[in-house]
């Protein structure tokens, strides 16, 4: 799919979220960044941090500690690790534990977002995640009694219901015709983007989203709401932890 291109790199993780190893050819290589023709390393975005992993070539291992988005996607090697020369065929592996934790966490945040909108009518104003912990900000003027416990129970009910999480790419007009997409309009999709990737937790939450997600809500595990903070002028910050 041409829409999965970033610079010269085909982004494999957008259409296969479970892919953890792949082969690629090195197109550019400096200690600051390595460009390959295809990659399953999530480069970061939408609150989800970049993947880590390794490139293996000619008996050498190059650890990848991040990804930088420029005209191309630059895989960032660990300091002092040798980098593969241009033209090298590398075997690459995405660090599975970190990525799988981030997928569970990201999907957990979407469940939270869906629940808080459905039950309290709140919109999301921001968010961020680390593997197994996350925060999300909402416009909620008053915190009702028992809010923290009620939100946690509702999230876990949606997880137990094992709702399917579908990813699909739609033409821009079709995507923005979905009423739910409007409420996440804070993640503005630039006008030049003609196709929009949609993450749909069936029956709960539909968002324009470029992140990686688990296939159904049961795979998230359990959501714990650890804290509700007041951020002034009606904004609340919910902190969550993901557990098995
Ligand atoms: Zn998201």
């Amino acid at each position: 799919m041409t829409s999965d291109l970033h610079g010269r790199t085909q982004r494999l993780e957008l259409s296969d979220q479970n892919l953890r190893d792949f082969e690629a050819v090195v197109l550019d290589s400096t200690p600051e960044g390595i460009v390959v023709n295809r990659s399953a390393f999530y480069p970061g975005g939408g609150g989800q941090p970049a993947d880590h992993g390794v490139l293996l070539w000619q008996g050498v291992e190059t650890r990848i500690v991040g990804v930088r988005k420029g005209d191309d996607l630059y895989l960032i090697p660990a300091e002092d690790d040798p980098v593969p020369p241009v033209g090298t065929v590398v075997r690459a592996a995405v660090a599975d534990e970190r990525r799988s934790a981030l997928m569970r966490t990201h999907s957990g945040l979407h469940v939270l977002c869906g629940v808080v909108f459905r039950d309290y009518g709140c919109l999301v104003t921001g968010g961020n995640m680390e593997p197994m912990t996350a925060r999300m900000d909402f416009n909620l003027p008053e915190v009702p009694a028992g809010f923290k416990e009620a939100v946690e129970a509702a999230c876990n009910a949606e997880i137990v219901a094992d709702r399917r999480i579908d990813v699909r790419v739609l033409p821009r007009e079709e995507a923005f015709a979905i009423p739910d997409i409007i409420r996440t309009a804070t993640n503005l999709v630039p006008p030049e983007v003609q196709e929009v990737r949609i993450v749909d937790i069936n029956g709960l939450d539909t968002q324009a989203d470029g992140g990686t997600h688990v296939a159904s809500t049961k795979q998230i595990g359990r959501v714990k709401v650890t804290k509700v903070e007041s951020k002034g002028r009606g904004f609340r910050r919910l902190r969550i932890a993901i557990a098995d």
Side-chain angles (χ1 to χ4, degrees), residues 12-13 16-23 38-43 48-56 62 64 67 75 91-103 212:
L12 306 172
E13 84 285 6
D16 186 355
Q17 304 175 105
N18 293 318
L19 185 65
R20 295 293 184 269
D21 45 78
F22 57 95
E23 269 194 5
R38 53 208 296 274
S39 166
F41 287 93
Y42 184 68
Q48 183 182 336
D51 285 332
H52 296 171
V54 291
L55 304 181
L56 303 167
T62 306
I64 300 301
V67 183
L75 307 180
R91 282 179 51 224
V94 174
D96 176 61
E97 197 178 316
R98 173 182 166 85
R99 160 68 91 72
S100 294
L102 285 167
M103 284 166 67
T212 59

Side-chain angles (χ1 to χ4, degrees), residues 106 110 209 213:
H106 199 159
H110 282 217
D209 189 273
H213 289 266

Side-chain angles (χ1 to χ4, degrees), residues 108-128 134-143 147 151 155 183-184 186 205 207 225 227-240:
L109 271 182
H110 282 217
V111 167
L112 175 67
C113 183
V115 160
V116 173
F117 179 72
R118 182 195 64 197
D119 297 350
Y120 302 92
C122 304
L123 297 175
V124 173
T125 59
N128 208 4
R135 65 170 170 81
M136 191 162 262
D137 298 340
F138 297 95
N139 65 344
L140 176 66
E142 298 289 333
V143 180
F147 176 71
V151 168
C155 285
R183 92 181 130 90
T184 51
T186 45
D205 181 81
Q207 294 189 34
V225 178
K227 214 170 186 189
V228 181
E229 297 168 72
S230 194
K231 287 285 152 190
R233 293 186 53 86
F235 288 98
R236 312 292 159 180
R237 174 165 292 176
L238 285 187
R239 293 189 184 276
I240 63 167

